[in-house]
Amino acid sequence: NLLELLELRSFDNDLIKSKFKSLQYTHHSIQNELLCLIHDNILSQIVFQIKSAKYFSIMMDESVDISRHEQVSLVIRHADDQFHVYERFIGFQRASSTTGEALFKLLVMWLKQLDLD
């Protein structure tokens, strides 16, 4: 699926086109690196949109995953200049504890990583 998606995106993206034609992306480590680069690019675009908004709100939720680890999800909600509201899923983080203080520290660390005030 990743290779087909990259081939599709290569039609309108010169960077992907130049890289896609010269190399074979079959090894899992290369595919994982590509996925990380795509993730970073999408996340930076989302953060740019959030920073462009005057205000934003944060929604955090925690749950236990199948391996019994506490995971916290972060969603940021913001509006653009035309008052269209967007909810952006940022990601999951493993939580060491679900106390209010631990979740607050996790949130502050997450916002610092995203460079959001």
Side-chain angles (χ1 to χ4, degrees):
N1 288 343
L2 175 65
L3 294 175
E4 290 176 12
L5 177 62
L6 285 173
E7 185 176 2
L8 176 68
R9 291 292 303 171
S10 71
F11 293 123
D12 63 347
N13 188 311
D14 292 333
L15 177 63
I16 293 174
K17 183 186 292 185
S18 67
K19 299 296 182 184
F20 187 72
K21 299 299 179 193
S22 64
L23 298 173
Q24 291 184 348
Y25 300 104
T26 55
H27 194 268
H28 68 87
S29 64
I30 293 173
Q31 290 183 9
N32 288 341
E33 183 178 350
L34 283 171
L35 289 172
C36 287
L37 290 170
I38 292 169
H39 166 266
D40 293 344
N41 184 277
I42 291 171
L43 190 59
S44 69
Q45 289 178 17
I46 291 171
V47 169
F48 177 78
Q49 291 173 352
I50 292 168
K51 286 181 176 181
S52 298
K54 189 171 183 177
Y55 303 105
F56 64 89
S57 63
I58 298 167
M59 294 177 277
M60 291 178 66
D61 190 21
E62 62 85 22
S63 64
V64 178
D65 65 11
I66 196 165
S67 59
R68 299 201 182 265
H69 291 115
E70 296 287 340
Q71 288 210 353
V72 177
S73 63
L74 177 66
V75 174
I76 297 181
R77 185 177 182 157
H78 65 92
D80 63 13
D81 293 338
Q82 287 78 36
F83 300 106
H84 297 112
V85 177
Y86 301 95
E87 288 185 353
R88 305 293 191 193
F89 172 73
I90 303 301
F92 289 109
Q93 287 279 350
R94 185 173 286 179
S96 58
S97 171
T98 57
T99 65
E101 184 177 354
L103 292 175
F104 176 75
K105 287 180 181 178
L106 178 63
L107 175 62
V108 169
M109 185 255 332
W110 220 333
L111 293 175
K112 284 182 182 178
Q113 285 177 350
L114 297 172
D115 193 31
L116 292 173
D117 188 9

